[in-house]
Every structure is written in structure tokens, then in C-alpha cells.
Amino acid sequence: MMLAELGYDMAHYHQESFNFAALEEDDDFEIPESDETVERTVFRVELAKSGQVLECGPDMTILNAARAAGLRLPSSCARGLRGSCKSRMVSGTVDMKHGGGIRQREVDQGQILLCCSRPTSDVVIDR
């Protein structure tokens, strides 16, 4: 490798590679098991453009709830492309704990990442 030949300390080298063609249609999607200590509240999530409605508990992300309901929403989050599930929330509230892929100004404008947003009320998404 050229870096090693130039004297670079390869212990500090990190490389990632993504092969989207090799991934299955369902990726590594798993429906998380319910936590018995979580209150059994179920929120209504409406996709405004399509008119589809799904149920989502506070212990599940909106993206996982959509997949569990058989809906395919755009996302490549599990493939290393953060922010690909970004959507505008028309109404409602969510608990969104993200590690990037969205800027604060986008959050301030009502954008959320479906892959890491758990509803805390009924939600309407502009999809």
C-alpha cells in the first residue's frame, strides 16, 4: 500500500467500503423485542402523501414500524448513508437520538430521521 511505503503508521489507518449490490432487499432489519417495562402506548403515524397509517410504540423507531407494517420507505441508513431517511414532520413529537445525517437547522425546520425517531405522540410525516 502506498501509505505504508511513505512511512504512514498503518495502526492509524481506517477504511470503510460499502457494496450496495451485495445487500438483500430487507438488509439486516430486525423488529426489536418489546421491553416489558415500557408503557403499552401506541401512537398513530400517518404518511400524509400516501394516506397510509401505521401504529408505532414508543420503543420502536418510525422506520422499523413502517417496515414491520410492510411499507418500504427510502433509507440507506444501515448501508452507511446517514440522512437518507430524512423526512419532514408535519405534526407531532418524537424522541430523536441521532449520530449525524441531519443538521440542527433542518431539525429546526421540522425534519427528522425516521431511523432514529421514536414517537412521543401521534405523528404526521410528509411522505
Side-chain angles (χ1 to χ4, degrees), residues 48-69:
K49 289 181 181 173
S50 69
Q52 295 172 302
V53 176
L54 57 110
E55 293 182 342
C56 184
D59 58 340
M60 183 179 276
T61 66
I62 294 173
L63 183 60
N64 281 350
R67 287 181 172 172

Side-chain angles (χ1 to χ4, degrees), residues 4 13 24 31 44 46 55 69 81 93 95 109 112 116 119 123:
Y13 178 78
E24 295 283 330
I31 299 174
R44 182 178 187 270
E46 178 184 347
E55 293 182 342
L81 296 176
T93 58
D95 178 22
Q109 295 169 352
I112 61 170
C116 57
V123 175

Side-chain angles (χ1 to χ4, degrees), residues 70-114:
L71 303 177
R72 299 292 302 171
L73 298 178
S75 72
S76 295
C77 311
R79 298 176 185 155
L81 296 176
R82 290 183 174 170
S84 57
C85 67
K86 192 181 309 172
S87 302
R88 189 171 70 81
M89 184 171 58
V90 177
S91 66
T93 58
V94 296
D95 178 22
M96 181 174 64
K97 293 186 175 41
H98 66 88
I102 193 167
R103 294 183 173 118
Q104 185 58 48
R105 71 171 189 250
E106 294 172 313
V107 173
D108 295 342
Q109 295 169 352
Q111 299 285 329
I112 61 170
L113 297 176
L114 301 179

